[in-house]
Amino acid sequence: MSLVELIGQADERGLAASGLACLDRCVPLLGGDDEILRPLWASLAENGAGDWGQGLAQARNKLGQSDGDGDDGGDEAARLARRMLDAAPEEPTPAEVRLWADACSVASLQIHRLLDPAEDAVGVDSRREGRTEGMSPLVAAELRRQIAVLELLAGHGAGGLRPALEVCTEGRRVLRAVVSRRARGRA
């Protein structure tokens, strides 16, 4: 099943986790640490161990605010990550979280495409629809992670949150390494 189809079939928790996972993997671009979005993950648990709105406000406060036009130091990847954070719904209603999850999916794939030194001439929309031939390694890995998160939540409900977070943590480490290599290359 393609990523677009998985997003189309996901329930509210799956969509929120999908969008959150995309944002979480891209947090290194915003200078965030591994724990910054944990309250949001906790709010998705069966017992609602946290408040989404409060967790979101804390994350935005810790990561700083954009200057209103989405500028993050002239870096397109960081701008896309900032937009994911800025667009997160205050209350994860079904309609809002569906739009956010879809936008985060596109933005995260685009971020990985921008950061991958290998060329990927095909647009991210085609990748999300299942056309994977000739895909660059970083984009391919991100696509697999997005699919894995949605499948884990679809198959296990709230029980899929922990393994989804593990998938996310792995992706964040990879992106952090890419960002670090990129910064060393500019120095």
Side-chain angles (χ1 to χ4, degrees):
M1 196 176 298
S2 75
L3 180 58
V4 170
E5 292 168 326
L6 287 169
I7 289 172
Q9 294 179 2
D11 65 7
E12 186 176 342
R13 179 182 286 135
L15 291 167
S18 176
L20 181 57
C22 289
L23 174 60
D24 202 345
R25 285 189 297 276
C26 295
V27 158
L29 293 166
L30 301 176
D33 64 32
D34 291 353
E35 301 297 316
I36 201 150
L37 298 178
R38 286 291 173 132
L40 292 170
W41 284 102
S43 74
L44 298 178
E46 198 73 68
N47 62 2
D51 176 80
W52 176 273
Q54 182 180 2
L56 182 59
Q58 288 172 355
R60 285 176 173 159
N61 186 47
K62 288 178 183 176
L63 293 171
Q65 299 294 320
S66 69
D67 64 8
D69 65 0
D71 189 26
D72 266 290
D75 184 349
E76 180 64 19
R79 272 194 293 278
L80 287 167
R82 173 68 57 192
R83 284 188 204 135
M84 280 193 274
L85 177 62
D86 291 347
E90 301 292 328
E91 285 295 320
T93 62
E96 287 184 353
V97 81
R98 184 169 300 284
L99 289 172
W100 182 62
D102 195 56
C104 286
S105 170
V106 171
S108 186
L109 286 167
Q110 185 61 31
I111 286 168
H112 285 77
R113 185 176 182 202
L114 288 167
L115 297 176
D116 197 330
E119 286 294 318
D120 189 347
V122 178
V124 296
D125 287 335
S126 294
R127 300 307 188 194
R128 288 171 21 103
E129 292 168 357
R131 287 182 231 129
T132 59
E133 60 282 339
M135 200 171 0
S136 65
L138 200 59
V139 174
E142 174 58 12
L143 182 65
R144 283 192 304 272
R145 286 184 193 99
Q146 288 188 29
I147 289 170
V149 166
L150 286 162
E151 288 175 342
L152 285 164
L153 272 290
H156 304 287
L161 285 170
R162 184 172 303 281
L165 185 55
E166 291 169 6
V167 168
C168 184
T169 300
E170 173 205 356
R172 189 178 335 103
R173 287 182 187 135
V174 168
L175 193 68
R176 185 166 277 131
V178 169
V179 169
S180 178
R181 266 194 311 271
R182 190 171 164 214
R184 283 193 307 268
R186 289 180 181 171

